[in-house]
Amino acid sequence: MMESQAPANEKLVYRLPFRPAPCPGWGFAHFHLLGENGQSLWGKGVDPRRGLETPRGFVPSRRMLQSLRIRNLALLDEVALDFEAGFTAVTGETGAGKSILLGGLGLLAGERADKTVIRQGADACEVEASLFFAEPNPVDVLLAELDLPPCEDGVLILKRSIAREKAPKVTVNGSLATLAALQRLGER
């Protein structure tokens, strides 16, 4: 386990990539560590690439977003990204689409959305991602609870489609799922 040099009374919070926080010297980061009082823990001995100590235990970096594909979300026509192991920073000028990427991840975590997120002139928007878990057992247990297929080779595949004229569609590892199931997975 990693030791933090943050103050002993400071409760550490692990922020997922859905709400970016400025990360000094890195632009906008996939995640950023903040203390309970909102102060940055960046540069205080907390290495987000290795995991950190939290009140619920160790959060390893052995979970990883492998790929992300977004089609017709907000102003974005289509983007496909493949991520490498380690720390990834999302940077760019104002209007480059950083918030749209994060919004797409939010949709995959089960955030509610209406049809206004669909790009003007498009019939539907889609967000799809694959996540790798070095130790998929905890995720597989949750998937079994939700009556969904387990990860194959540690890979979880999420897809969400929102159409103008049809009902929204969520799939997890190729099987239809509910938004509530996606929300439960997003809490992990």
Side-chain angles (χ1 to χ4, degrees), residues 28 90-99:
F28 282 84
V90 178
T91 63
E93 295 182 20
T94 302
K98 299 178 297 291
S99 295

Side-chain angles (χ1 to χ4, degrees), residues 101-182:
L101 291 177
L102 296 172
L105 289 171
L107 289 175
L108 289 176
E111 286 183 3
R112 296 213 174 267
D114 58 26
K115 297 180 188 305
T116 61
V117 300
I118 302 170
R119 186 174 60 86
Q120 192 169 359
D123 293 331
C125 74
E126 286 182 359
V127 182
E128 187 173 16
S130 65
L131 294 97
F132 174 75
F133 294 85
E135 297 169 15
N137 292 341
V139 175
D140 285 342
V141 168
L142 178 58
L143 290 168
E145 283 177 28
L146 298 170
D147 200 26
L148 293 168
C151 295
E152 196 171 301
D153 297 324
V155 177
L156 175 67
I157 299 173
L158 305 172
K159 184 176 180 179
R160 184 168 175 189
S161 302
I162 301 169
R164 287 194 198 280
E165 305 296 326
K166 297 178 186 174
K169 183 176 165 184
V170 173
T171 61
V172 175
N173 287 339
S175 291
L176 289 173
T178 63
L179 184 59
L182 198 58

